[in-house]
Amino acid sequence: MPIAYPYKLSDWYGYDKDCSSVTSFTSAIAETGITCSQPLNQTYYHNGSGTYPVANDVVYTNSAGTTTIGSGRYRLNNNTSFSVLNSGVVAFVDPCN
């Protein structure tokens, strides 16, 4: 009697073991009065499709995408900054002062 396997190889076609995909980017830490000269020394991760986060993307402190960043304004290296109001969700992106 042949062995009955519960799944065929074709059952796994297109399976993505990573349920969420995140993109890394470099930023400065959150701070009041952030300036464009603040050092970019933090790596964060966002769930958007672009290089940098945009409004409504969620930003994480870890590559697993399980821990969101705190509220604040964060500098990016493209002369912009983004603001997070709660739950790691980017509220808006604006020019870096």
Side-chain angles (χ1 to χ4, degrees), residues 2-13:
I3 298 174
Y5 295 100
Y7 298 102
K8 301 178 292 205
L9 185 57
S10 61
D11 291 340
W12 299 101
Y13 179 76

Side-chain angles (χ1 to χ4, degrees), residues 27-35 38 70-75 80-84 92 94-97:
S27 177
I29 60 171
E31 192 171 314
T32 304
I34 198 167
T35 67
Q38 188 173 9
S71 298
R73 187 173 178 205
Y74 297 80
R75 178 181 171 231
T80 62
S81 64
F82 66 95
S83 293
V84 172
F92 55 87
D94 57 2
C96 189
N97 300 330

Side-chain angles (χ1 to χ4, degrees), residues 2 6 10 21-24 32-33 39 43 52 62 64 72-74 89 93 95-96:
S10 61
S21 174
V22 294
T23 302
S24 67
T32 304
T43 299
Y52 302 108
N62 62 344
R73 187 173 178 205
Y74 297 80
V89 178
V93 176
C96 189

Side-chain angles (χ1 to χ4, degrees), residues 64-77:
T66 57
T67 306
T68 57
I69 61 171
S71 298
R73 187 173 178 205
Y74 297 80
R75 178 181 171 231
L76 295 170
N77 64 355

Side-chain angles (χ1 to χ4, degrees), residues 38-52:
Q38 188 173 9
L40 298 166
N41 57 8
Q42 302 294 309
T43 299
Y44 296 119
Y45 307 84
H46 71 94
N47 66 349
S49 59
T51 302
Y52 302 108

